[in-house]
């Protein structure tokens, strides 16, 4: 099983920046894709960004494209989400998720695609 632990959340003013981290451990050898999702109270969990862990492809939701950057360290033990130009609408609990097997890019944004999830980290953007 892959273990995922998010960190780096907090309170930031609109226009500010924050970097989230997702520690990846356990049976990571076969992991194909990692992703960030977020969920605000009363809303469904929504896709933020994904990275092909065994490659180099990245995918972004339209709402964050140009503001957020997903990446991983060289050892593939940590995934990052650099968030710039934050807006109050970005306020949510942010989760990292892992997918073991290959999926087409069209499925990267689907919650049911992923096998393992972290516990989440709160991001609050004040206006």
């Amino acid at each position: 099983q892959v273990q995922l632990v998010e960190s780096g959340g907090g309170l930031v003013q609109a226009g500010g920046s924050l970097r989230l981290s997702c520690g990846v451990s356990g049976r990571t050898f076969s992991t194909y894709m990692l992703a960030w999702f977020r969920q605000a109270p009363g809303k469904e969990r929504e896709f933020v960004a994904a990275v092909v862990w065994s490659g180099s492809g990245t995918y972004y939701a339209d709402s964050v494209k140009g503001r957020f950057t997903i990446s991983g360290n060289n050892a593939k033990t940590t995934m990052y989400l650099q968030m710039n130009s934050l807006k109050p609408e970005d306020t949510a609990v942010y989760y990292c998720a892992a997918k073991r097997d290959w999926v087409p890019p069209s499925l990267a944004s689907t919650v049911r695609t992923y096998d393992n999830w972290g516990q989440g980290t709160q991001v609050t953007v004040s206006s």
Side-chain angles (χ1 to χ4, degrees), residues 10-55:
L11 176 64
V12 64
Q13 293 189 58
S17 298
L18 205 61
R19 189 178 76 161
L20 304 183
S21 298
C22 176
V24 184
S25 61
R27 299 179 181 179
T28 62
F29 182 80
S30 61
T31 298
Y32 174 72
M33 183 176 291
L34 295 179
W36 289 98
F37 286 76
R38 65 188 183 187
Q39 188 167 25
K43 295 186 177 181
E44 295 183 351
R45 192 166 298 188
E46 68 172 349
F47 174 75
V48 177
V51 59
V52 178
W53 208 235
S54 60

Side-chain angles (χ1 to χ4, degrees), residues 6 23-24 28 46 55-56 77 94-95 98 104-105 110 115:
E6 301 93 336
V24 184
T28 62
E46 68 172 349
S56 60
T77 55
Y94 283 70
Y95 300 89
T110 301
D115 305 306

